[in-house]
């Protein structure tokens, strides 16, 4: 009972709860990488926007770098296959886009903030046949829908209904020449003539194309191309005088629109005369005075039918066949302004996006600013280097620039959307800026560097290790590649694209990476026990041969036999004395350390200032001095009991058979003591619930000898006065070892105390040595996943600058899979413990310390000081630290509050934030689906409370846990109104649509000027349209003709608001205060200011095209109403101005009406 009362007293205070809401907030922000399983592509040449649809129902829109919009289709019949986006069609110049899914639904999307919102949906249930093609009118009012039945329907975008007349295929057949006697088949392509907007070119499947006059509803001219099998599509030139018609037999021809006669080259097959595959897409343009044809497919069926190609054929004889390693989904061509001059080729492949410069006959590759393929080689590990200095970043950038020499310098043509001005001017403080760099290890032995400080995941360098290993005469395979064709009949292939899923040797795969953000030292650990040591030294690189060393962990173990793969052999010619050092692009590979037996590297630790690297495998750990390139020590962790769990009562290897045997023993024992009370034993311990789960575990998880964690730290181990360099290691069996390192004086010059060894400074430099200082054996024997040493303020010592030790005393956090435990240093006495598995059944997968900050008032700080003095002490002392900084503003009464917290990821995909050292939960969020094992294993944290994980094999999802650091797309796309929207009030609405005649009334519950919430829930159900990729911070509101279901987290609502309804609402609904931003609560009401007492509330409506709200004047009469309740919560509802935006940034005020009424007591 006393424990229960004590636990009740430890609940957080109201001030602490308010501070938690200001510090911590979970949201999914940005997505990086290449969309998973793309299925459709569309380009808007007017708005300069590109859209990609996927098989999973996602739509991503890209403009200029930084402008990204996301959308997600929802299930219709609970079939995932129906989410497949089959067609995308832009409504040119308006920012809106149409999508067609496998469920035969046509959806109109509109950009709202950083998301696309479905504003209209048209299902084709039985009314129309299967849709085969779409064509949007250049007048932006109609969409022609072609079906597999051969009919064309006119779809009105204003009313979102089908308009008469329908172009039936039997009507067309009556007006074509009698020589054509076939059923024309499906509609393959519809094109509107740019010079005659009242005429359509319609291509049918079976060799028929007609010119249709919309005014007379008649066929003006027919074009017949028999003998080509199925027709595929059309391309109409910019002047509307000719069109290119391409077919399934690999042929194409240029037809004159004014003449129905077939051209002379109607049977031209570019890769004939053998039977060829279908041409799937074709564009035509000019390079200078020469015509250029760009098409995909058309390969000879027997010889090269498995090739994925896009061909560029010029009339001057220049021909290039771009041969890709993945399937071509679609492509488009960008042209220079107002003519047919080619500019760029953009190809969407199944696994990557490629771009090529068409202004040059060489057709050189272009490095796109986004949509890079993270998985060009399969990703085997992720490492996030946080707070990389400007110096190191520039070195990496300079090395990467030398790798990009072969790319074209042409400007990226997709420049749609607009960025806020503050983002454009954010690059001023370049000298002090710190960067976040993601390093991905790959199956082919390469390590790719990605800058992920902003919305764009930018590739900056590719580090390869495969060229170190192999035989002596091994040459780069790329040198033997030739672009010359073997004979005249062979297409002029050129190997294109970066996607290469195949690896020559699986032992090259990278398992662990370490990068020093201050010095640029790079360590790469591989599958065969190899540790490659490299550094970004800039211009002062010392030339020398490649060094090699090996360390055997089991040399003293008799009878040990390694049955795994062999080690990788370093090329002998690189180890010769006169060999040149491997120095590429400013990066020097100084040496290779081989750990024997050649098992996979399971963990790495790097301390560049000491010149030490430590690596762990399933057999033990090694410590290596890479500056002098000498081994320091090794320790074998093999133990025969680790594999069997014999003699351990708390072994995690508890099998089902053993559990069953113990159950029968208990039953037998109960029967024998049932009739003999004197022999009965207390069963209190037996009846006690088991805290740990008994479950089957994989063999690797059961190997107690595997080293799971290695950490370098300068902390108090020997006494409380002097910090010593140490190495901490932990294994799967919960054995934590502390090694005391004896460094030369030159490497401890920044130490405030004497050398760690206690001896006088020797005259000559000596070698580094190490000895076992302390060892901890956790009783529950769960694998240790992380160790961190932090100071009194909760700042990890590894995040301090070299020579700084933080504020004593230090503490060590040991995180196993089942619990967190904090020990004091140097006594190693337990201070605190948090049992995660026992309480929740989840296991810990990864830990990290993050910095959280927010602006708070002096009053709140004083109240926090009164309730928890340690919190305020931590805050003010952290102002001078490195990990935490603070800024006080006396004039405004606001201060920056900083706090370090522990971030934890579980095997259920949940992320928790815990305070240190109290280990009190501050935030719990379901971040990753528990079924997504790859996502959970790939998640990495930053020092600023963000995380990245692989949401698919090619995409990265960004997560923000702190309110102060949120990286999300801020670019917007301006939306044009859909013509005259006044008629939409009388149009018949679909069952899925929402009534759009009401407007939000905003009830701002203000308490202490910190938080606001919208509490209308009755109509929020109408707007609920949950999407997997929706962003929590999104604008969206149902107004006029735009029923925007923006986000599932928006709690605003729509309806007729009266004083009575407000009174009923306040009486029946509990007022819940939550710390949300204006965007989360108000949808498209982008600016919302509230003040306590009698201050008016102003609402500016942005991004709202053509407001047509009949109830707005009625609402204004009840606007300035102040209600005072007994809980001192002031609720106001005011609409003072409404602005309509024609162009971004230019607000045209339509109505302004402000009224003041007396207070009404509710």
């Amino acid at each position: 009972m006393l424990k229960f009362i004590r636990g009740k007293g430890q609940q957080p205070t109201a001030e602490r709860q308010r501070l938690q809401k200001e510090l911590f907030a979970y949201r999914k922000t940005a997505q990086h990488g290449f969309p998973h399983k793309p299925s459709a592509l569309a380009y808007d040449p007017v708005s300069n926007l590109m859209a990609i649809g996927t098989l999973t129902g996602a739509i991503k829109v890209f403009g200029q770098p930084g402008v990204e919009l996301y959308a997600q289709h929802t299930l219709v019949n609970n079939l995932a296959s129906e989410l497949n986006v089959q067609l995308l069609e832009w409504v040119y110049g308006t920012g809106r886009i149409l999508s067609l899914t496998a469920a035969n639904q046509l959806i109109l999307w509109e950009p709202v903030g950083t998301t696309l919102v479905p504003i209209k949906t048209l299902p084709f249930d039985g009314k129309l046949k299967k849709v085969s093609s779409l064509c949007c009118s250049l007048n932006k009012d109609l969409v022609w829908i072609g079906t597999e039945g051969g009919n064309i329907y006119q779809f009105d975008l204003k009313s979102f209904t089908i308009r008469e007349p329908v172009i039936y295929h039997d009507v067309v057949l009556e007006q074509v020449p009698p020589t054509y006697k076939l059923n024309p088949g499906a509609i393959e392509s519809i094109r509107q003539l740019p010079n005659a907007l009242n005429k359509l070119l319609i291509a049918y499947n079976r060799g028929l194309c007609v010119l249709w006059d919309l005014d007379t509803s008649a066929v003006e001219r027919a074009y017949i191309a028999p003998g080509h099998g199925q027709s595929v599509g059309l391309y109409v030139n910019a002047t509307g005088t000719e069109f290119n018609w391409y077919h399934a037999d690999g042929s194409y021809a240029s037809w004159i629109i004014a003449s129905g006669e077939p051209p002379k080259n109607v049977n031209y097959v570019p890769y004939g005369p053998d039977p060829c595959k279908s041409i799937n897409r074709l564009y035509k343009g000019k390079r200078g005075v020469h015509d250029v044809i760009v098409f995909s497919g058309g390969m000879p069926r027997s010889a090269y039918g498995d090739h994925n190609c896009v061909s560029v054929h010029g009339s001057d004889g220049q021909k290039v066949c771009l041969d890709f390693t993945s399937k071509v989904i679609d492509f488009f061509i960008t042209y220079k302004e107002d003519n047919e001059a080619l500019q760029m080729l953009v190809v969407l492949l199944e696994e990557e996006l490629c771009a090529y410069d068409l202004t040059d006959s060489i057709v050189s590759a272009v490095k796109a600013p986004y949509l890079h393929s993270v998985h060009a080689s399969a990703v085997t590990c992720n490492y996030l280097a946080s707070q990389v200095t400007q110096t190191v970043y520039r070195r990496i950038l300079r090395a990467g620039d030398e790798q990009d020499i072969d790319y074209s310098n042409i400007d990226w043509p997709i420049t749609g959307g607009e960025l806020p001005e503050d983002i454009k001017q954010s690059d001023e403080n370049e000298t002090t800026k710190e960067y976040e760099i993601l390093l991905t290890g790959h199956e082919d032995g390469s390590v790719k560097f990605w800058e992920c400080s902003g919305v764009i995941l930018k590739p900056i360098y590719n580090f390869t290790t495969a060229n170190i290993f192999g035989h002596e005469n091994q040459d780069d395979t790329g040198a033997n590649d030739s672009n010359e064709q073997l004979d005249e009949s062979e297409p002029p292939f050129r190997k294109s694209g970066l996607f290469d899923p195949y690896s020559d040797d699986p032992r090259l795969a990278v398992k662990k990476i370490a990068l020093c953000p201050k010095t640029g030292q790079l360590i790469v650990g591989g599958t065969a026990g190899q540790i490659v040591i490299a550094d970004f030294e800039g211009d002062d690189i010392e030339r020398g041969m490649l060094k090699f060393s090996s360390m055997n962990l089991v040399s003293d173990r008799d009878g040990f036999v390694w049955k795994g793969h062999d080690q990788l052999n370093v090329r002998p010619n690189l180890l010769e004395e006169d060999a040149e050092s491997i120095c590429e692009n400013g990066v020097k590979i100084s040496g290779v350390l081989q750990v024997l037996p050649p098992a996979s590297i399971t963990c790495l630790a790097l301390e560049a200032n000491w010149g030490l690297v430590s690596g762990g495998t399933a057999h033990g750990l090694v410590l290596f001095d890479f500056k002098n390139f000498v081994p320091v020590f090794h320790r074998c962790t093999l133990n025969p009991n680790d594999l069997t769990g014999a003699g351990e009562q708390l072994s995690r290897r508890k099998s089902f058979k053993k559990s069953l045997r113990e159950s029968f023993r208990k039953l037998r024992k109960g029967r024998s003591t049932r009739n003999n009370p004197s022999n009965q034993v207390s069963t209190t311990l037996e009846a006690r619930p088991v805290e740990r789960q008994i479950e089957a575990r994989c063999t690797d998880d059961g190997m107690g000898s595997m080293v799971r964690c290695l950490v370098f730290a300068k902390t108090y181990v020997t006494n409380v006065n002097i910090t010593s360099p140490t190495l901490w290691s932990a294994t799967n069996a919960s054995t934590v070892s502390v090694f005391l390192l004896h460094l030369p004086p030159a490497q401890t010059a920044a130490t405030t105390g004497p050398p760690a060894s206690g001896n006088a400074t020797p005259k000559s430099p000596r070698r580094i040595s190490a000895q076992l200082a302390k060892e901890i054996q956790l009783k529950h024997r769960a694998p240790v996943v992380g160790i961190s040493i932090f100071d009194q303020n909760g700042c990890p010592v590894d995040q301090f600058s070299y020579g700084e030790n933080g504020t004593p005393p230090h503490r060590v956090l040991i995180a196993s899979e089942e619990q967190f435990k904090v020990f004091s240093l140097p006594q190693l006495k337990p201070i605190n413990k948090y049992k995660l598995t026992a309480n929740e059944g989840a296991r810990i997968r990864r830990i990290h310390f993050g910095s959280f900050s927010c602006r708070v008032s002096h009053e709140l700080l004083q109240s926090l000081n009164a309730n928890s003095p340690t919190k305020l002490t931590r805050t003010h002392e952290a102002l001078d630290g490195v990990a935490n900084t603070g800024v006080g503003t006396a004039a405004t009464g606001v201060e920056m509050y900083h706090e370090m917290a522990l971030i934890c990821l579980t095997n259920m995909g949940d992320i928790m934030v815990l305070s240190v050292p109290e280990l009190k939960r501050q935030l719990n969020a379901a971040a990753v689906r528990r079924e997504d094992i790859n996502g959970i294993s790939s998640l990495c944290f930053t020092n600023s409370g963000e995380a990245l994980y692989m949401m698919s094999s090619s995409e990265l999802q960004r997560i923000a846990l702190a309110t102060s650091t949120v990286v999300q797309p801020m670019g917007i796309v301006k939306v044009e109104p859909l013509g005259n929207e006044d008629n939409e009030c009388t149009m018949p609405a679909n069952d899925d649509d929402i009534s759009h005649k009401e407007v939000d009334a905003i009830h701002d519950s203000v308490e202490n000027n910190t938080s606001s919430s919208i509490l209308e829930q009755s109509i929020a159900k109408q707007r609920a349209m949950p999407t997997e990729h929706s962003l929590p911070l999104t604008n969206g509101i149902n107004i006029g003709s735009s029923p925007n279901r923006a986000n599932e987290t928006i709690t605003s609502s729509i309806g007729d608001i009266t004083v009575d309804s407000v009174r009923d609402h306040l009486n029946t609904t509990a007022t819940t205060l939550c710390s949300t931003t204006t965007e989360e609560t108000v949808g498209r009401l982008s600016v919302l200011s509230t003040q306590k007492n009698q201050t008016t509330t102003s609402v500016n409506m942005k991004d709202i095209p053509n407001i047509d709200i009949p109830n707005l004047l009625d609402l204004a009469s009840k606007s300035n109403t102040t209600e005072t309740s007994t809980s001192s919560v002031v609720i106001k509802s005011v609409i003072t101005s409404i602005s309509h935006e024609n162009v971004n940034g230019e607000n045209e005020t339509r109505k302004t009406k402000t009224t003041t009424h007396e207070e009404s007591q509710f």
Side-chain angles (χ1 to χ4, degrees):
M1 188 65 183
L2 183 62
K3 184 177 180 181
F4 175 76
I5 296 175
R6 189 183 298 119
K8 278 292 186 182
Q10 295 178 353
Q11 296 297 323
T13 61
E15 291 80 7
R16 179 60 191 173
Q17 291 180 359
R18 286 177 51 200
L19 188 61
Q20 286 177 0
K21 295 173 182 177
E22 295 291 334
L23 285 171
F24 313 105
Y26 165 79
R27 69 197 75 186
K28 290 184 178 180
T29 52
Q31 297 173 6
H32 306 296
F34 183 77
H36 185 52
K37 296 181 180 178
S39 59
L41 175 69
Y43 173 64
D44 184 356
V46 180
S47 299
N48 281 333
L49 294 172
M50 174 179 65
I52 296 176
T54 69
L55 292 176
T56 57
I59 297 179
K60 296 190 176 184
V61 173
F62 298 90
Q64 61 177 304
V67 177
E68 298 182 10
L69 286 79
Y70 311 136
Q72 174 65 39
H73 289 84
T74 56
L75 292 172
V76 180
N77 299 319
N78 292 327
L79 294 177
S81 60
E82 293 183 347
L83 295 176
N84 179 7
V85 180
Q86 295 182 335
L87 290 174
L88 290 174
E89 182 75 14
W90 283 101
V91 183
Y92 295 125
T94 64
R96 297 180 179 89
I97 190 171
L98 284 160
S99 67
L100 178 75
T101 65
N104 224 22
Q105 275 196 340
L106 191 65
I107 303 172
L108 180 64
W109 301 83
E110 179 179 300
V112 176
T114 57
T115 59
L116 288 172
V117 177
I119 60 174
K120 294 286 186 180
T121 302
L122 179 66
F124 293 146
D125 301 334
K127 184 169 53 176
L128 298 177
K129 299 295 184 180
K130 181 68 177 175
V131 176
S132 58
S133 61
L134 293 174
C135 178
C136 183
S137 168
L138 298 177
N139 291 329
K140 310 171 188 178
D141 58 345
L142 286 177
V143 173
W144 291 285
I145 303 173
T147 65
E148 292 185 356
N151 302 325
I152 296 179
Y153 298 85
Q154 299 188 73
F155 179 67
D156 193 341
L157 286 174
K158 297 178 182 178
S159 62
F160 219 76
T161 55
I162 300 299
R163 180 195 293 181
E164 295 292 336
V166 177
I167 306 175
Y168 293 103
H169 73 281
D170 52 355
V171 176
V172 174
L173 283 178
E174 294 175 356
Q175 304 179 44
V176 299
T179 55
Y180 187 86
K181 299 180 180 180
L182 299 174
N183 185 347
I187 303 292
E188 294 295 340
S189 182
I190 307 171
R191 292 291 179 265
Q192 186 180 22
L193 297 188
N195 60 342
L197 301 183
N198 63 332
K199 295 180 181 180
L200 293 180
L201 266 177
I202 305 170
Y204 292 87
N205 182 266
R206 297 182 180 177
L208 175 64
C209 180
V210 297
L211 181 62
W212 182 267
D213 193 326
L214 294 171
D215 296 336
T216 61
S217 296
V219 175
E220 182 174 323
R221 190 170 289 106
Y223 313 90
I224 301 174
H228 291 287
Q230 297 179 350
S231 300
V232 177
L234 301 173
Y235 170 77
V236 181
N237 65 352
T239 58
T241 57
E242 68 174 17
F243 68 94
N244 289 83
W245 194 1
Y246 46 99
H247 307 277
D249 62 349
S251 66
Y252 71 87
S254 296
W255 294 66
I256 304 298
I257 294 180
S259 172
E261 296 296 325
K264 296 181 180 179
N265 60 346
V266 69
N267 295 319
Y268 176 65
V269 181
Y271 292 124
D274 295 334
C276 294
K277 299 189 71 174
S278 170
I279 293 179
N280 301 315
R281 179 79 67 188
L282 184 143
Y283 285 87
K284 185 177 181 180
K286 288 183 177 296
R287 184 193 297 134
V289 296
H290 302 285
D291 292 335
V292 177
I293 296 287
V294 183
F295 61 92
S296 62
M299 288 291 106
R301 188 176 297 274
S302 59
Y304 307 106
D306 57 342
H307 285 240
N308 305 294
C309 299
V310 174
S311 302
V312 181
H313 289 187
S315 60
D316 55 350
Q318 296 285 344
K319 294 183 179 182
V320 175
C321 184
L322 303 173
D323 189 8
F324 299 101
T325 54
S326 59
K327 180 183 176 183
V328 178
I329 302 298
D330 204 347
F331 74 93
F332 63 85
I333 301 293
T334 64
Y335 298 89
K336 296 180 181 178
E337 296 180 358
D338 300 331
N339 57 24
E340 294 186 348
L342 296 172
Q343 186 179 27
M344 187 177 293
L345 164 66
V346 180
V347 185
L348 176 66
L349 304 161
E350 197 172 32
E351 304 292 349
E352 61 182 325
L353 182 87
C354 296
Y356 296 89
D357 183 4
L358 293 179
T359 61
D360 190 0
S361 60
I362 302 176
V363 193
S364 55
V366 178
K367 192 171 185 179
Y370 37 63
L371 288 173
H372 296 281
S373 180
V374 180
H375 68 310
S377 176
V379 178
T380 53
C381 73
N382 291 340
Y383 176 82
L384 209 158
S386 196
Q387 295 178 325
V388 177
T389 62
Q390 180 77 18
T391 304
V392 174
Y393 175 75
R394 286 179 176 174
R395 291 176 184 173
I396 301 173
L397 207 60
R398 184 168 61 248
D401 289 341
E402 297 184 17
Q403 293 181 337
D404 298 340
I405 295 178
D406 296 333
Y407 284 102
S408 173
N409 295 324
I410 188 174
D411 293 334
W412 185 249
I414 303 173
T415 57
E418 297 180 358
L419 290 175
E421 292 296 330
D422 53 349
I423 295 181
K424 297 179 181 179
Q425 301 173 358
S426 62
D427 298 334
E428 296 178 357
N429 299 328
E430 286 292 331
T431 55
T432 59
K433 184 178 180 180
E434 293 180 329
Y435 297 86
E436 309 287 339
I437 296 182
L438 175 69
L439 287 79
T440 55
H442 297 269
E443 194 178 30
D444 60 354
S446 64
V447 177
K448 293 187 178 180
F449 290 68
W450 311 83
E451 186 209 337
C452 55
S453 305
V455 176
I456 301 173
L457 188 70
K458 178 183 176 183
I460 54 178
Y461 181 66
N462 184 19
F463 176 76
T464 58
T465 61
N467 54 357
I468 307 174
F469 306 100
H471 52 81
E472 184 172 359
N473 296 324
Q474 181 179 2
D475 296 324
D476 293 337
T477 56
N480 295 328
D481 291 341
S482 176
N483 292 332
E484 297 182 0
Q485 53 191 109
L486 299 180
D487 53 57
E488 295 180 357
S489 63
E490 179 181 332
F493 288 121
R494 178 196 296 176
K495 187 177 179 181
S496 304
L498 299 176
F499 180 71
D500 185 11
Y502 305 107
S503 175
D504 296 333
D505 195 335
R507 296 174 296 174
L508 291 170
V510 177
K511 289 298 183 182
K512 296 294 175 182
I513 308 170
L515 175 71
C516 180
K518 304 293 190 296
T519 63
Q521 189 74 43
L522 175 66
I523 308 294
V524 180
T527 303
Q530 73 273 19
I531 297 178
V532 180
I533 303 166
D535 52 6
F536 293 86
E537 287 292 347
D539 299 330
D540 54 345
I541 296 180
E542 299 180 0
R543 298 288 177 177
M545 68 174 185
L546 183 71
K547 299 177 182 179
F548 177 79
S549 180
S550 63
M551 298 179 70
N552 198 327
L553 289 171
V554 294
S555 57
D556 56 344
R557 299 280 172 148
D558 296 334
F560 179 85
V561 178
W562 170 249
K563 298 180 180 180
H565 45 62
D566 295 332
Q567 71 182 66
L568 284 168
N569 297 319
V570 180
R571 293 166 60 182
N573 58 333
L574 299 177
L575 300 176
E576 299 174 358
E577 294 184 359
D578 56 348
E580 294 185 0
S581 61
I582 300 183
C583 177
E584 179 185 3
N585 305 327
V587 183
K588 177 188 176 184
I589 300 178
S590 57
V592 177
L593 171 64
Q594 179 64 54
V595 181
L596 298 175
S600 176
I601 301 296
T602 57
C603 57
L604 275 180
L606 168 66
E607 182 51 70
N609 297 312
W610 303 343
L612 292 176
V613 60
S614 180
T617 68
H619 307 109
L621 64 100
V622 297
L623 181 63
F624 190 76
D625 180 4
F626 62 82
K627 285 189 175 179
N628 300 315
F629 217 82
V630 291
V632 178
F633 87 100
H634 68 272
R635 177 181 176 86
C636 182
T637 56
L638 281 175
N639 186 349
N641 293 331
D642 285 338
L643 301 179
T644 61
E648 301 295 342
Q649 296 179 355
L650 293 174
S651 172
R652 295 172 60 84
R653 299 284 299 164
K654 193 170 185 180
S655 64
F656 175 74
K657 186 184 296 184
K658 186 176 180 181
S659 303
L660 202 61
R661 189 182 301 117
E662 290 179 356
S663 301
F664 279 112
R665 286 176 181 172
K666 291 177 183 179
L667 286 174
R668 222 177 282 120
K669 186 177 181 180
R671 290 173 182 173
S672 61
T673 58
R674 188 174 300 159
N675 298 326
N676 190 358
S678 61
N679 292 337
Q680 289 184 0
V681 184
S682 175
T683 59
T684 305
L685 296 179
E686 296 177 2
R688 184 179 178 181
V690 180
E691 290 184 341
R692 289 181 295 107
Q693 293 179 332
I694 300 173
E695 56 184 5
R697 299 189 178 270
C698 62
T699 305
D700 292 338
D701 197 17
M703 286 189 64
S705 61
M706 179 183 293
V707 180
R708 290 286 295 271
C709 181
L710 288 169
V711 173
F712 285 105
K714 198 157 183 281
T715 185
Y716 303 93
V717 173
T718 55
N719 56 60
V720 295
N721 298 321
I722 301 175
T723 58
S724 306
T726 58
L727 171 65
W728 298 67
S729 73
T731 66
N732 260 353
S734 281
T735 302
V736 180
S737 304
V738 186
F739 300 95
L740 186 63
L741 307 179
H742 304 284
L743 304 180
Q747 291 172 270
T748 57
T751 312
T752 55
S757 61
N759 301 329
T761 304
K763 297 181 180 179
S764 60
R766 55 180 175 81
R767 295 178 56 178
I768 301 175
S769 61
Q771 66 181 35
L772 181 64
K774 296 184 180 182
E775 195 163 21
I776 307 171
Q777 179 61 61
L778 301 180
K779 290 184 179 181
H780 63 295
R781 294 185 179 274
V784 177
V785 297
I787 298 175
S788 184
I789 294 112
F790 56 92
D791 67 352
Q792 184 184 18
N793 299 325
C795 301
V797 296
D798 58 351
Q799 294 185 13
F800 286 111
S801 298
Y802 182 52
E804 296 185 5
N805 301 320
T807 307
H810 286 186
R811 297 182 178 93
V812 58
L813 169 74
I814 300 177
S816 69
E817 282 192 352
E818 297 184 354
Q819 69 177 20
F820 301 99
K821 201 164 187 178
V822 179
F823 297 88
S824 65
L825 288 175
Q827 299 87 0
L828 287 179
K829 291 183 179 179
I831 296 178
N832 203 358
K833 181 166 56 175
Y834 183 85
K835 294 184 178 181
L836 181 69
T837 305
N839 297 331
E840 303 181 15
R843 297 199 302 273
I844 302 166
R845 279 289 175 256
R846 189 165 283 104
I847 65 166
H848 194 82
F849 274 78
S851 174
F852 299 84
S853 62
C854 67
R855 293 184 180 272
V856 296
S857 60
H858 290 301
E859 293 80 5
L860 183 58
L861 283 179
Q862 291 174 0
S863 60
L864 288 171
N865 187 26
N867 293 310
S868 176
T870 58
K871 288 287 182 185
L872 196 61
T873 302
R874 178 192 308 173
T875 304
H876 285 286
E877 290 188 359
L879 297 182
D880 298 329
V882 176
N884 295 330
T885 57
V887 178
T889 308
T892 59
V894 176
E895 254 187 62
M896 286 298 295
Y897 177 85
H898 297 263
E899 183 174 316
M900 297 296 295
L902 174 66
I903 312 173
C904 157
L905 171 71
T906 71
N907 67 327
M908 309 294 285
D910 298 337
I911 293 181
M912 293 192 306
V913 180
L914 305 174
S915 62
V916 287
E918 300 91 352
L919 298 180
K920 297 295 183 182
R921 184 183 301 180
Q922 309 297 310
L923 177 70
N924 190 11
V928 191
R929 291 181 297 109
R930 63 180 62 186
E931 302 87 5
D932 189 2
I933 300 175
N934 292 330
I936 295 173
S937 61
S938 64
L939 190 140
C940 303
F941 292 107
T942 69
N943 293 345
S944 57
E946 286 189 294
L948 287 168
Y949 72 90
M950 301 286 294
M951 60 184 295
S952 67
S953 61
S954 59
E955 285 176 295
L956 287 159
Q957 175 68 60
R958 196 181 193 104
I959 291 173
L961 302 171
T963 57
S964 57
T965 306
V966 178
V967 177
Q968 62 181 354
M970 300 299 293
I972 59 174
V973 175
K974 58 183 180 181
V975 183
E976 287 188 7
L978 272 175
N980 185 12
E981 296 177 351
D982 295 337
N983 299 328
E984 294 195 34
C985 297
T986 59
M987 79 172 208
N990 294 326
D991 295 336
D992 297 336
D993 291 339
I994 311 165
S995 176
H996 318 303
K997 295 188 293 184
E998 296 91 358
V999 69
D1000 282 353
I1002 304 154
H1003 300 274
D1004 302 320
S1005 303
V1006 182
E1007 183 176 8
N1008 297 326
N1009 297 331
T1010 56
S1011 61
S1012 63
S1013 174
I1014 295 179
L1015 303 173
E1016 290 290 332
Q1017 299 175 358
S1018 59
I1019 313 171
K1021 299 178 182 178
Q1022 298 178 354
R1023 301 189 56 216
M1025 190 172 183
T1027 56
E1028 183 179 354
H1029 299 281
S1030 58
L1031 295 178
L1033 295 180
T1034 307
N1035 296 336
I1037 187 172
N1038 290 346
I1039 290 182
S1041 65
S1042 303
N1044 301 326
R1045 307 167 188 175
N1047 199 287
E1048 56 187 334
T1049 61
I1050 296 175
T1051 58
S1052 61
S1053 59
I1054 299 173
D1056 292 324
I1057 305 300
T1058 62
V1059 176
D1060 294 333
S1061 65
V1062 174
R1063 183 186 294 109
D1064 295 338
H1065 169 72
L1066 292 176
N1067 291 335
T1068 57
T1069 308
T1071 302
T1072 306
L1073 296 178
C1074 60
S1075 178
T1076 57
T1077 63
T1078 308
E1079 291 175 306
E1080 288 173 322
T1081 56
V1082 189
R1084 279 197 184 176
L1085 301 179
S1086 59
V1087 179
L1088 174 66
S1089 61
T1090 58
Q1091 294 291 338
K1092 199 175 178 180
N1093 301 326
Q1094 299 298 326
T1095 308
T1096 60
T1097 302
S1098 64
V1099 180
N1100 288 332
M1101 296 183 182
K1102 289 185 177 180
D1103 301 331
I1104 306 176
N1106 273 352
I1107 299 176
D1108 183 17
I1109 307 171
N1111 294 336
L1112 193 56
L1113 295 178
D1114 298 336
L1115 191 64
S1117 63
K1118 305 176 179 61
S1119 58
N1120 210 11
T1121 306
T1122 304
E1123 301 87 25
T1124 305
S1125 63
T1126 56
S1127 61
S1128 71
V1129 177
V1130 180
I1131 298 176
K1132 306 168 193 171
S1133 206
V1134 180
I1135 292 183
T1136 58
S1137 65
I1138 300 158
S1139 60
H1140 169 61
E1141 178 175 295
N1142 290 326
V1143 182
N1144 277 348
E1146 299 178 3
N1147 291 332
E1148 178 186 355
T1149 301
R1150 292 296 181 86
K1151 299 179 182 179
T1152 302
K1153 185 172 182 179
T1154 305
T1155 58
T1156 304
H1157 296 273
E1158 297 179 358
E1159 293 187 2
S1160 58
Q1161 295 290 337
F1162 283 178

